Amino acid sequence: MNDPEGKPLEEAPLFLPASRLQHLLDALVRAGFRCIGPRLRDGAIVYGVLDRATELPAGVTDIQAPGSYRVGRTEGPRMFAWANGPQALKPLLFSPHEDLWHAERRLDGGLEFIPDLPNADPLAVIGVRACDLAALALHDQHFLHGAYADPYYARRRSELFLVAVNCSHPAATCFCASTGDGPCATCGFDIALDELDDGFVATCGSERAHALLAGLDLAPATPEQVSEARRQSEQAAQAQTRHLPSRNLREALFANLENPRWAEVAERCLSCGNCTSVCPTCFCHREQEQPSLDGSSSAHTREWNSCFARDHSYIHGLTFRPDTRTRYRQWLTHKLGGWHDQFGRSGCVGCGRCITWCPVGIDITEEAMAICGSRT
Amino acid sequence: MNPYLPYEAEVVERVQESKSIVTLHLRLTDAAARSTYHFAPGQFNMVYLHGAGEVPISIVSDPHDETILGHTIRIVGRVTGGLAKLQPGDRVGLRGPYGRGWPLQEALGHDVLVVTGGLGCAPVVAVINYVILRRTFFGKLTIIQGVKHSDDLIWRERYTYWRSLPNTQVLIAADHGGPLWPWHVGLVTEVFDDARIVPERTFVMMCGPEGMMHAGVKNLTGRGVAEDHIYLSMERNMQCAVGHCGHCQYGPDFVCRQGPVFAYPKLKALFGVKGF
């Protein structure tokens, strides 16, 4: 936010009463956005179309543990009294399965390549967590700011409006405070909300959000509301029990490639790839070909892949990582090691999803500690 | 600009190199795409067979002619099997070039030692051709080829031709030699003595099975060749070629972007560790 002379403006946070959350949704719709937000479905909090604020999971909380996710009821009117569901922003921007292009064979035998770019309607996402914003910044780096920009990701990304909600109820699996990515969103959002019992402290993070909030005619948040929001974030950070031994485990991991723990964790790991599916930063994908039945046209698609899959390291007759030990080691040395070389930071944002959604409850913080704890 | 979208290319010539190896000479059909296409030896293209998919293939032709692109393809699977059946006039998809090539500028004025193993190694053929066409710009060219069995050696006429060129030496070793095998029987590193390497003026360019390259690096550094004068071409699963899909990662590097040709010091930490 800049004033006409180019100096950043310190904008005082506003207060959005809970009863007026609908006005924010309406304003977003008027501005041309389709709203999606957290909804309770099939026993989990997942993103869905959000027309009414009353569709938010009020009075719902989540109970997460290694290998376990349950929703439960909670006292009070809050709509965001839970940590996170299995989805991050990842599936909204980097589609689990999509067509990249298709090739048409002309009658003269020639080939024509036609891109299949997505129709990306402007999308507003309500209830984004700080960990997921950190993961989004990493995917922006990977898909947009390298030598080759991905036009599929770019198209969806350019139409995104992000309403973050600072996390007040971290799960037992959360450790964003130790990775430095939460619980409070500090950048990358349009609006950040702190949920109090009677409403939200709203912080503006972009020019377009400023215009939108101005239209709602909100009162400034009181100093008490602001300090209550701050206290809540501090408490959410302190409540986290898990942590990584260090923010940079690169040297420690690569110095421990023959640690017996890799074989031990491989005894428990099913190599199912759940961790890489729920991880908001994992980006591996395979490209595939789907020819039409008459052979005239062929779709070139991509879908998420996982370094736990056999085909991930396959080249003509040779699989470089034939067993779970080398696959788990690849995942962890990349996530917490190689990312520092590639992206200037660790690939873990502390969301804890890989712990929760692992069918056997393997805990990345525990493994990192066992493998390199003594060396940090 | 869509980095995943191939351009149409036409097969202008097909050469059957051996039972399982074919060279396709391809030409981009779009004049604008052709005029902006530039490559360096050691780089690769993604070649697309309609209905089957894309494969990474290194470019073996000379960069001086950027309109006809040579691709030597070994039949190892569905896509390469289909590509090998194509005839002049057939159309494929092509995008590239990708990755980093050989350090040919740095090697000017130096001896070039090419070490390759296995069934004919296309990436270093690009180097050999490059040096031969600019023979006076380089010192001695030594071509060392190792094969498991003498029957595996293809391009026998090429080796005969190469050894007839000035200041060029060819050394071949087979772990198992057959009858009338004129070359060395034993490990490829055993012929290094005959190469009479002058370490301080030699650039090494190597390609082949990693076990062989590992032994080669050890032998050459033992002879005093500087680690940063040894270059290796690495092979990993490549699907996007633009550093996005993640399959080709080798520790911190994407082989498609930081490779496929690496100076040895870049690979050293993980080289020979199984699972990377």
Side-chain angles (χ1 to χ4, degrees):
Chain A
M1 191 72 33
N2 293 307
D3 72 5
E5 286 166 2
K7 281 186 299 188
L9 282 178
E10 269 301 319
E11 233 181 319
L14 303 167
F15 186 72
L16 174 69
S19 58
R20 295 192 56 199
L21 185 58
Q22 185 63 43
H23 296 180
L24 174 63
L25 299 184
D26 295 342
L28 283 165
V29 170
R30 276 198 304 277
F33 293 99
R34 190 165 60 91
C35 290
I36 71 163
R39 309 265 315 253
L40 185 61
R41 199 181 76 204
D42 300 334
I45 293 167
V46 293
Y47 283 124
V49 174
L50 193 68
D51 294 323
R52 314 291 314 161
T54 50
E55 294 165 334
L56 287 161
V60 175
T61 191
D62 56 4
I63 304 113
Q64 302 192 41
S68 169
Y69 176 96
R70 297 287 181 275
V71 293
R73 306 304 302 182
T74 179
E75 294 299 310
R78 292 195 180 203
M79 292 162 266
F80 298 92
W82 41 270
N84 54 26
Q87 299 161 312
L89 292 167
K90 178 166 95 169
L92 300 173
L93 295 157
F94 167 39
S95 178
H97 181 98
E98 67 182 321
D99 288 357
L100 292 180
W101 45 264
H102 63 280
E104 301 274 358
R105 191 189 283 285
R106 294 190 304 263
L107 287 175
D108 66 358
L111 294 175
E112 201 169 333
F113 297 95
I114 301 139
D116 293 314
L117 285 161
N119 291 319
D121 297 325
L123 190 70
V125 188
I126 317 296
V128 181
R129 295 307 193 190
C131 52
D132 295 338
L133 284 176
L136 177 70
L138 281 169
H139 267 197
D140 284 353
Q141 221 178 314
H142 181 67
F143 285 112
L144 296 182
H145 305 315
Y148 300 89
D150 181 305
Y152 304 81
Y153 181 95
R155 200 170 262 209
R156 298 190 182 99
R157 180 69 178 97
S158 65
E159 299 291 348
L160 203 61
F161 189 101
L162 297 167
V163 180
V165 178
N166 291 327
C167 196
S168 55
H169 289 69
T173 44
C174 291
F175 55 100
C176 64
S178 101
T179 64
D181 297 306
C184 204
T186 53
C187 61
F189 55 81
D190 290 286
I191 299 170
L193 303 175
D194 289 281
E195 186 178 31
L196 306 178
D197 280 341
D198 53 350
F200 301 87
V201 174
T203 306
C204 181
S206 69
E207 203 74 53
R208 55 184 183 168
H210 178 76
L212 197 109
L213 286 171
L216 295 183
D217 200 21
L218 300 173
T222 66
E224 293 73 32
Q225 287 166 329
V226 172
S227 66
E228 172 59 14
R230 195 163 299 149
R231 192 194 60 76
Q232 193 166 272
S233 284
E234 282 162 14
Q235 217 167 41
Q238 283 157 13
Q240 296 181 13
T241 54
R242 286 184 156 78
H243 63 94
L244 284 172
S246 157
R247 279 189 199 170
N248 191 342
L249 293 169
R250 189 193 182 287
E251 303 305 324
L253 282 165
F254 284 104
N256 272 294
L257 295 179
E258 301 308 324
N259 192 306
R261 183 75 176 200
W262 299 115
E264 196 277 324
V265 65
E267 290 294 312
R268 290 175 279 137
C269 174
L270 307 176
S271 207
C272 69
N274 261 20
C275 49
T276 61
S277 288
V278 293
C279 177
T281 69
C282 273
F283 53 71
C284 284
H285 55 273
R286 64 168 75 84
E287 296 190 16
Q288 281 176 327
E289 200 66 19
Q290 291 178 352
S292 64
L293 281 177
D294 66 0
S296 62
S297 123
S298 185
H300 192 78
T301 68
R302 73 169 166 198
E303 65 182 21
W304 292 358
N305 197 1
S306 167
C307 52
F308 286 92
R310 187 179 179 82
D311 70 329
H312 190 276
S313 63
Y314 178 85
I315 55 165
H316 53 77
L318 183 64
T319 301
F320 286 98
R321 289 182 283 278
D323 54 19
T324 307
R325 184 185 75 94
T326 51
R327 291 179 202 168
Y328 189 87
R329 190 180 66 180
Q330 169 66 24
W331 183 63
L332 206 68
T333 54
H334 180 224
K335 185 70 60 191
L336 304 179
W339 276 75
H340 287 276
D341 300 276
Q342 296 171 348
F343 302 98
R345 59 155 293 172
S346 153
C348 178
V349 295
C351 72
R353 288 185 178 95
C354 60
I355 306 173
T356 297
W357 297 93
C358 173
V360 294
I362 292 170
D363 178 346
I364 186 173
T365 65
E366 195 185 321
E367 298 311 317
M369 198 73 84
I371 286 156
C372 41
S374 59
R375 294 185 55 99
T376 56
Chain B
M1 177 59 200
N2 187 330
Y4 305 123
L5 203 64
Y7 288 95
E8 186 195 53
E10 181 184 8
V11 178
V12 289
E13 195 192 341
R14 174 188 187 280
V15 181
Q16 186 84 41
E17 307 281 6
S18 79
K19 211 177 136 203
S20 62
I21 299 176
V22 166
T23 297
L24 295 181
H25 296 277
L26 304 175
R27 180 176 160 276
L28 290 163
T29 55
D30 181 69
R34 207 161 52 229
S35 68
T36 55
Y37 186 96
H38 308 287
F39 77 95
Q43 286 191 299
F44 65 96
N45 284 322
M46 293 301 285
V47 181
Y48 169 78
L49 177 68
H50 187 244
E54 289 184 305
V55 282
I57 306 285
S58 75
I59 310 159
V60 292
S61 51
D62 195 84
H64 189 66
D65 180 359
E66 291 174 324
T67 56
I68 307 291
L69 306 166
H71 300 79
T72 297
I73 299 166
R74 184 152 68 93
I75 301 171
V76 288
R78 208 163 42 89
V79 180
T80 48
L83 287 171
K85 288 186 189 128
L86 295 179
Q87 294 298 327
D90 286 342
R91 304 298 167 97
V92 294
L94 189 146
R95 59 187 176 97
Y98 296 115
R100 289 192 197 169
W102 299 101
L104 292 165
Q105 278 295 319
E106 293 88 323
L108 285 176
H110 290 76
D111 290 351
V112 175
L113 173 64
V114 171
V115 183
T116 133
L119 295 172
C121 205
V124 290
V125 172
V127 172
I128 296 170
N129 291 340
Y130 187 92
V131 172
I132 285 172
L133 285 173
R134 297 157 187 80
R135 198 62 202 85
T136 55
F137 291 93
F138 294 90
K140 186 187 164 211
L141 170 65
T142 310
I143 300 163
I144 299 182
Q145 163 83 47
V147 287
K148 266 218 173 68
H149 195 276
S150 55
D151 291 348
D152 296 339
L153 187 71
I154 58 158
W155 290 333
R156 289 194 185 213
E157 325 77 74
R158 272 201 214 188
Y159 290 104
T160 311
Y161 166 66
W162 286 336
R163 68 190 294 214
S164 72
L165 297 170
N167 207 10
T168 304
Q169 186 183 14
V170 174
L171 296 163
I172 304 179
D175 295 355
H176 309 284
L180 300 177
W181 173 249
W183 306 95
H184 179 75
V185 176
L187 295 174
V188 69
T189 45
E190 288 166 13
V191 301
F192 282 18
D193 272 341
D194 299 335
R196 292 185 298 280
I197 299 157
V198 185
E200 59 277 10
R201 61 162 197 245
T202 299
F203 267 83
V204 180
M205 312 203 190
M206 214 186 283
C207 169
E210 278 168 42
M212 183 222 76
M213 294 205 286
H214 200 252
V217 170
K218 206 174 146 204
N219 185 302
L220 291 164
T221 51
R223 289 167 191 270
V225 180
E227 290 185 348
D228 61 0
H229 276 206
I230 302 177
Y231 286 79
L232 315 175
S233 181
M234 296 289 285
E235 206 180 355
R236 285 294 180 275
N237 185 353
M238 289 196 219
Q239 300 191 12
C240 74
V242 293
H244 289 167
C245 80
H247 293 93
C248 71
Q249 291 179 86
Y250 185 75
D253 292 314
F254 293 89
V255 173
C256 70
R257 299 272 303 123
Q258 282 82 37
V261 174
F262 290 92
Y264 176 63
K266 195 88 175 76
L267 299 171
K268 196 178 174 182
L270 292 175
F271 205 57
V273 181
K274 291 233 180 312
F276 285 96

